[in-house]
Amino acid sequence: MTENATHTPASNPELPTQYAPAEVEGKLYERWVERGYFTADASSEKPPYTIVIPPPNVTGALHLGHAFQVTLMDALTRRKRMQGFETLWLPGMDHAGIATQNKVEQQLGEEGKSRHDIGREAFTERVWQWKEEYGGRILGQLRRLGAGLDWSRERFTMDEGLSRAVQTIFKRLYDDELIYRAERIINWCPRCLTAISDIEVDYQDDDGELVSLKYGEGDETLVVATTRVETMLGDTAVAVHPEDERYAHLIGKRIKLPLTDRTIPVVADAHVDPEFGTGAVKVTPAHDPNDFAIGQRHGLESLTVMDERGVITVPGPFQGLDRFEARSAIVAALREQGRVVAEKRPYVHSVGHCSRCKTTIEPRLSLQWWVKVETLAKAAGDAVRDDRVTLHPKEMEKRYFDWVDNLNDWCISRQLWWGHRIPVWYGPEGQVVCVGPDDEAPTGEGWTQDEDVLDTWFSSGLWPFSTLGWPERTPDLEKFYSTDVLLTGHDIIFFWVVRMMMFGLYAMDGEIPFKTVALTGLVRDEFGKKMSKSNPNAVDPLTWMDAYGSDAVRFTLANGANPGADVPIGEDWVKASRNFANKIWNATRFALMNGATVDGPLPDAATMTATDRWILSRLNKTVAEVDRFYDEYEFAKVSDALYHYAWDEVFDWYVELSKTTFFAGGEQAEVSGRVLGEVLDVTLRLLHPIVPFVTETLWTTLTGGESLVVADWPKDSGFRDEAAEAEIELVQQVVTEVRRFKGDQGLNALQKVPARLTLTGTALAPHEAAIRHLLRLQPAEEGFHATATLPVAGAQVALDLSGTIDVPAERKRLAKDLGAAEKEKAQAEGKLGNEAFLAKAPDNVVEKIHARLAKANADIERITAQLANLPQG
């Protein structure tokens, strides 16, 4: 079942009576790192297995979302390492342009300064200082979680090697005419003072106002409606549909633009919907993407009416007003002129907000750098369509294709100082030179470098190959690319996954950046609500790790990880996982104290008890099941299978059923001790990727082995014993039924009761001692009087309940329950016998009444049997 399952255990191994995670976890992790278990060898002949961590922001601290994904990646890499792969899990951080710059600007603000006060060079130096002092906290916290990362290969998106990669791919894309500079409408954040991409805009329904305005004079009048009245100052046309007869006489004419001394043309454009509103729309090419397109088609002028902070720049009474102040002032001025035809407040409509600072986005005409995505996006789509890259779960493919097939050109320039500066120089005669990493930048009077930096996602889009040494063909790149799995949240499939697909296929000559994309959901609280710092439901996972141990947090997260689905988590569930770790600990202590061993091969099956053969058969089925679930990224099913096998079958049944064998001693106890050792050895190996700390402590004590991190992953030996499984199932039926009966009689599960077992002629006979032990059944000595006889699984269990229960009180309680069940039955039968009711009642209502009747009949049968089994008198 495992290739190295025969270590000699330490002499007289002992474990403390209780598991104390805080005393174990930190020391164990440092030992793993010091011994180099997580360090990959590019020269190894083992098959590679590679995962690059989604780089957390340098501003970040560990939250449950990080802990969730890291737990799953750690489980994958630990298992693959145990399976004999040369496993690289590469760590690193993202410089997080806007977020990090905002942090340092806040610091400067507290000193009464701005970045402009100290200049670009000093500001950038200040950010590097901040990064060294505060950055990367999350990577240290990942050690607490047990993340088996190769720290020798830690990368940062602005380190020297990755900066070289960024400059190289920019140059190549530029030379291939896939990067260009153009004036387009972009999403502008007046707070962050930079362009942001479409996917960095969060849309939400806001209360606004819809104002209908009259343009023109006399017969040459049009009514337009807008939610952004302030932009009318930049209108350069009104557009109508070419076939709209209402406005045919106006097409080509110029009409008066209110509040200005300008006239603007009426143009015919098929983009206009004649059925929507009045069928006429104002056109502001510099402040709306659709209007910009209309302006391009009709040669309209683009007038920018606001500055970068959203302040009106048009000379006149509104100059200097913030855009929202101007909105109110302009409506008031138009109202005075009788130009306001209608006002609707509140008018709920979708409004874009900056995903980082939540400021309302302002569409703005701006000169920016762009990536032409058509061919890149097609390649990214084709890689999934032809199954070179697999998405889990498969239903996420539709979202992926919806995005990648409709991708607009990507605005990659940002008006920031922190980030990779665009490697383009402008000369005094209008020259434009793009500089690669090995090129000399132009020098001399009048040459200047572009002021902008690149979008953070530009550099993180190179992550799967830049971290391995690209553009050089390094040993790491040769060995570990393509990576095997990208495990990330479905919420950044557009931000990051598509970017990596486009750049990876382009830079690596068609080689995919990863073979599989395993998409996870988001972590939510136990009621399914989104966790947020602004809500009281946000949880610091370090607090739970301090209280319950890292294994408990990890197991809880993995146990909720269904592909693509959100993960609810609550403290009670972490407590339950802590209890599971304690159960593993206590069961292993029992095993060690009762001769469990991994020394030597397994005994011949003929020398084993049916209980031994049963647990080994179930063990091999569990190994096969766990492997299948891992290969399908079904982490919740992995956890569930291991939990029920370990707790229910090993600890609650096998250990308890075997106690009589261990207590009796002798050769049979030695055989079962070897079986128990094998079962625990393999079970701890199976559990290790998810709960590494407690399993490492127990396994090294049990086996004397070096470390589970480098132990062999269990293999299904093929051993099956269906007869033994059927036999133990009969034992379980007897124990379960008698326990249920004792409970129904109000008896404690541990309460001893005299009993006579008639097991002859059944497969149960060899298990009488174990059945008596599990049920606390005493021998039927002199004076035994069978007051209840239960036929179970072909056997009979006769119990003497004299003196164990208050018979009159129990009879009274059961009679009351029987009366309630009979009343329920009568009501259900009455409704089902009513033809008028049945004719009108919906099918689901009738089904519920049938179910009530069935339950009532079952209750009557059960209670009647209990009454009959009570002692007389």
Side-chain angles (χ1 to χ4, degrees), residues 406-425:
N406 298 285
L407 204 57
N408 295 318
D409 283 359
W410 172 19
C411 177
I412 56 170
S413 45
R414 298 291 180 268
Q415 289 63 57
L416 304 171
W417 287 356
W418 172 244
H420 295 100
R421 195 162 172 183
I422 288 175
V424 172
W425 271 254

Side-chain angles (χ1 to χ4, degrees), residues 502-824:
M502 293 193 303
F503 280 171
L505 291 163
Y506 172 79
M508 296 299 295
D509 300 320
E511 281 189 79
I512 54 176
F514 26 72
K515 301 175 183 73
T516 298
V517 180
L519 295 165
T520 69
L522 308 178
V523 177
R524 297 183 178 272
D525 72 11
E526 58 195 302
F527 305 108
K529 294 181 179 178
K530 184 178 179 180
M531 286 190 177
S532 169
K533 291 180 182 178
S534 59
N535 293 334
N537 66 351
V539 174
D540 181 353
L542 295 172
T543 303
W544 281 351
M545 285 190 272
D546 289 341
Y548 307 113
S550 297
D551 284 334
V553 174
R554 289 171 61 114
F555 190 82
T556 306
L557 290 165
N559 203 34
N562 291 299
D566 289 348
V567 184
I569 184 171
E571 188 167 5
D572 286 345
W573 303 346
V574 182
K575 289 179 183 177
S577 296
R578 184 267 318 270
N579 295 342
F580 180 47
N582 289 340
K583 186 79 170 180
I584 302 170
W585 185 270
N586 292 334
T588 307
R589 283 191 74 246
F590 169 84
L592 290 170
M593 290 187 294
N594 286 276
T597 178
V598 296
D599 191 18
L602 277 173
D604 189 273
T607 67
M608 298 179 188
T609 65
T611 307
D612 294 334
R613 297 193 304 277
W614 162 73
I615 199 63
L616 288 175
S617 183
R618 288 294 308 127
L619 176 61
N620 278 283
K621 287 182 178 179
T622 301
V623 170
E625 193 174 43
V626 166
D627 275 335
R628 185 174 76 254
F629 291 147
Y630 262 122
D631 290 343
E632 295 169 353
Y633 303 95
E634 295 274 9
F635 298 98
K637 291 182 179 178
V638 169
S639 305
D640 190 62
L642 288 172
Y643 178 90
H644 288 295
Y645 175 72
W647 191 307
D648 297 346
E649 296 186 294
V650 178
F651 307 147
D652 278 358
W653 284 107
Y654 179 72
V655 169
E656 293 299 325
L657 285 168
S658 301
K659 278 183 178 178
T660 52
T661 302
F662 291 129
F663 296 161
E667 290 184 9
Q668 195 61 64
E670 290 182 7
V671 171
S672 292
R674 179 64 189 90
V675 171
L676 179 55
E678 176 77 5
V679 167
L680 285 175
D681 175 17
V682 175
T683 302
L684 291 170
R685 292 172 193 254
L686 291 173
L687 283 165
H688 176 72
I690 297 176
V691 285
F693 294 109
V694 67
T695 52
E696 173 84 339
T697 306
L698 294 173
W699 186 83
T700 52
T701 304
L702 171 71
T703 68
E706 178 186 350
S707 172
L708 266 177
V709 180
V710 291
D712 288 343
W713 181 253
K715 294 178 181 177
D716 176 6
S717 71
F719 178 84
R720 301 287 190 275
D721 194 326
E722 302 298 338
E725 290 196 43
E727 187 172 322
I728 300 306
E729 188 176 340
L730 292 177
V731 175
Q732 292 172 324
Q733 286 179 25
V734 172
V735 173
T736 302
E737 188 59 35
V738 176
R739 278 177 176 167
R740 184 183 297 117
F741 177 77
K742 286 176 70 177
D744 288 342
Q745 305 305 318
L747 300 178
N748 187 293
L750 300 178
Q751 191 165 347
K752 296 179 179 178
V753 177
R756 180 181 292 123
L757 276 62
T758 308
L759 306 175
T760 8
T762 72
L764 295 167
H767 304 283
E768 179 169 351
I771 291 171
R772 284 186 175 277
H773 164 71
L774 286 165
L775 290 170
R776 306 298 191 266
L777 300 181
Q778 295 178 312
E781 298 176 346
E782 186 178 349
F784 177 83
H785 173 64
T787 59
T789 302
L790 302 177
V792 187
Q796 284 194 336
V797 181
L799 304 172
D800 183 355
L801 302 180
S802 309
T804 58
I805 59 174
D806 183 341
V807 175
E810 183 64 11
R811 193 177 294 281
K812 183 176 180 181
R813 182 184 72 81
L814 289 172
K816 181 179 178 182
D817 291 347
L818 181 61
E822 288 173 338
K823 182 178 179 181
E824 175 74 2

Side-chain angles (χ1 to χ4, degrees), residues 1-192:
M1 196 169 305
T2 55
E3 292 177 3
N4 59 344
T6 57
H7 297 292
T8 301
S11 56
N12 301 317
E14 292 184 4
L15 289 168
T17 54
Q18 290 185 324
Y19 176 50
E23 297 175 13
V24 169
E25 293 176 351
K27 295 175 185 175
L28 263 187
Y29 189 84
E30 290 311 313
R31 186 187 310 160
W32 290 334
V33 173
E34 288 167 6
R35 291 182 177 179
Y37 292 154
F38 304 141
T39 304
D41 181 2
S43 65
S44 167
E45 294 184 1
K46 295 179 183 178
Y49 184 82
T50 314
I51 294 181
V52 290
I53 196 171
N57 288 352
V58 72
T59 59
L62 186 68
H63 59 65
L64 277 172
H66 291 128
F68 170 55
Q69 292 182 359
V70 166
T71 294
L72 304 187
M73 285 183 277
D74 196 36
L76 289 174
T77 50
R78 284 180 182 269
R79 173 175 174 257
K80 285 295 182 180
R81 190 178 292 112
M82 294 172 75
Q83 287 181 318
F85 287 80
E86 192 61 40
T87 302
L88 170 60
W89 185 20
L90 193 147
M93 296 176 293
D94 194 306
H95 66 279
I98 295 177
T100 307
Q101 177 156 321
N102 282 348
K103 290 281 187 183
V104 178
E105 288 197 78
Q106 287 170 14
Q107 280 189 340
L108 285 172
E110 292 168 4
E111 300 169 13
K113 300 176 183 176
S114 75
R115 61 181 164 120
H116 300 284
D117 292 330
I118 64 174
R120 183 169 192 147
E121 185 176 342
F123 178 78
T124 303
E125 184 179 338
R126 181 78 176 253
V127 182
W128 277 107
Q129 291 172 359
W130 187 94
K131 183 260 180 186
E132 292 304 315
E133 185 174 354
Y134 298 103
R137 288 173 296 169
I138 188 173
L139 295 183
Q141 292 165 345
L142 294 182
R143 292 172 177 260
R144 279 286 314 276
L145 196 63
L149 291 152
D150 183 347
W151 296 107
S152 71
R153 287 177 165 87
E154 182 184 335
R155 304 306 299 267
F156 178 51
T157 49
M158 284 187 62
D159 67 28
E160 185 177 349
L162 269 64
S163 295
R164 178 178 177 82
V166 168
Q167 198 171 350
T168 299
I169 200 164
F170 188 99
K171 171 70 171 171
R172 289 189 187 178
L173 289 164
Y174 182 87
D175 289 346
D176 286 345
E177 298 184 351
L178 293 174
I179 282 183
Y180 64 95
R181 196 181 191 211
E183 242 189 351
R184 300 275 181 83
I185 294 288
I186 47 93
N187 303 297
W188 181 265
C189 176
R191 159 62 184 80
C192 298

